[in-house]
């Protein structure tokens, strides 16, 4: 059965960095497993962290379905939508990627979103793992666009404000209609002693701390130079930390 993994957290805390490095370690540690990545954040940049080029997002392609004249004569609309969605799948040797993108204009997306949910359910069956970089509001999960979540990582930076935000994300998760099985907290950009200083705030969230990711000069350098984080070397502090987290979560 396909295992669904989600990464949540507010912007700027290292959510996409963690997702990219998690995918890196999944490819390396879960050998011979097929992986689909889904960038559900409207501010999509997971592809850059993975070193993949995006030619079209799902929201751009679904915009075409709102024009009745765009559907070829004699073709059912659901078949047309599935065809357009298939065009948005980016395939690579290690990871396939879908990029949701943001809303392209006014109007109701209920029907396209319903078809998207069915498409993801069908597409997900072809993979061992589906890993989703979610948007801050968890909208795609609450609307069940993503069928379910087996493991969710809630990301925070090493600040009291960030930890409190992670706690609010946890509250949202508990109120979702969708089932979320395992939920873990990951604290990023840590320095010596920072976790001890935050222990009280972490306890208030009710989240289980599964690990932290130290502030890593290699990550900073890769970002400055525009290099994919997926290419970080094995001796990167962030890579080693994510490897430990993955082994704990997928034991």
């Amino acid at each position: 059965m396909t295992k669904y993994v989600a990464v949540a957290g507010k912007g700027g805390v290292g959510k996409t960095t963690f997702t990219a490095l998690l995918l890196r370690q999944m490819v390396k540690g879960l050998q011979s497993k097929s992986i689909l990545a889904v960038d559900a954040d409207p501010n999509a940049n997971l592809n850059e962290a993975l070193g993949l080029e995006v030619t079209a997002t799902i929201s751009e392609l679904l915009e075409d379905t709102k024009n009745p004249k765009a559907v070829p004569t004699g073709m059912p609309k659901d078949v047309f939508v599935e065809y357009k969605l298939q065009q948005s799948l980016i395939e690579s040797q290690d990871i396939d990627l879908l990029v949701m993108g943001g809303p392209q204009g006014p109007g109701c997306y209920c029907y396209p979103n319903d078809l998207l949910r069915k498409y993801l359910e069908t597409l997900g069956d072809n993979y061992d793992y589906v890993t989703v970089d979610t948007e801050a509001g968890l909208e795609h999960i609450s609307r069940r666009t993503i069928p379910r979540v087996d493991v969710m990582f809630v990301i925070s930076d090493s600040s009291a404000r960030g930890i409190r935000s992670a706690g609010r994300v946890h509250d949202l998760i508990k109120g979702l209609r969708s089932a979320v099985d395992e939920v873990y907290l990951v604290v990023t950009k840590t320095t010596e002693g920072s976790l001890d200083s935050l222990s009280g705030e972490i306890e208030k969230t009710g989240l289980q701390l599964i690990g932290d990711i130290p502030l890593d000069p290699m990550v900073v350098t890769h970002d400055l130079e525009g290099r994919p984080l997926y290419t970080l070397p094995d001796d990167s502090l962030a890579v080693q930390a994510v490897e430990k987290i993955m082994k704990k979560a997928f034991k």
Side-chain angles (χ1 to χ4, degrees), residues 183-221:
V183 184
Y184 300 109
L185 173 66
V186 176
V187 181
T188 66
K189 308 174 187 178
T190 57
T191 55
E192 187 175 354
S194 57
L195 282 183
D196 292 335
S197 301
L198 293 167
S199 60
E201 293 290 348
I202 292 172
E203 185 176 356
K204 290 177 187 177
T205 67
L207 287 161
Q208 178 183 344
L209 177 65
I210 195 172
D212 70 290
I213 303 174
L215 192 62
D216 187 345
M218 289 189 185
V219 171
V220 176
T221 300

Side-chain angles (χ1 to χ4, degrees), residues 58-215:
I58 288 175
S59 63
E60 290 170 346
L61 294 173
L62 288 180
E63 180 69 16
D64 293 341
T65 69
K66 296 167 66 178
N67 178 9
K69 296 180 180 179
V71 182
T73 304
M75 179 181 286
K77 189 172 182 179
D78 58 343
V79 174
F80 177 66
V81 170
E82 186 168 339
Y83 166 72
K84 299 295 287 185
L85 290 172
Q86 187 65 40
Q87 287 183 314
S88 67
L89 180 65
I90 302 158
E91 298 177 287
S92 72
Q93 181 177 345
D94 297 326
I95 298 168
D96 292 347
L97 174 66
L98 281 174
V99 178
M100 296 283 195
Q104 295 298 304
C108 180
Y109 278 82
C110 298
Y111 177 68
N113 277 336
D114 184 53
L115 293 174
L116 174 58
R117 182 182 71 250
K118 294 176 182 177
Y119 175 70
L120 280 179
E121 287 177 350
T122 303
L123 183 64
D125 289 341
N126 298 323
Y127 296 89
D128 298 303
Y129 288 87
V130 176
T131 299
V132 185
D133 184 1
T134 71
E135 84 288 20
L138 304 177
E139 190 172 324
H140 289 293
I141 297 174
S142 64
R143 289 186 177 181
R144 299 183 69 90
T145 307
I146 302 164
R148 66 178 187 279
V149 178
D150 297 290
V151 179
M152 175 173 281
F153 298 99
V154 180
I155 312 301
S156 169
D157 60 14
S158 53
S159 69
R161 186 178 292 108
I163 298 297
R164 291 167 191 160
S165 178
R168 290 191 288 273
V169 171
H170 190 207
D171 292 338
L172 282 173
I173 294 167
K174 289 186 289 187
L176 291 178
R177 292 174 294 170
S178 303
V180 180
D181 291 342
E182 302 290 337
V183 184
Y184 300 109
L185 173 66
V186 176
V187 181
T188 66
K189 308 174 187 178
T190 57
T191 55
E192 187 175 354
S194 57
L195 282 183
D196 292 335
S197 301
L198 293 167
S199 60
E201 293 290 348
I202 292 172
E203 185 176 356
K204 290 177 187 177
T205 67
L207 287 161
Q208 178 183 344
L209 177 65
I210 195 172
D212 70 290
I213 303 174
L215 192 62

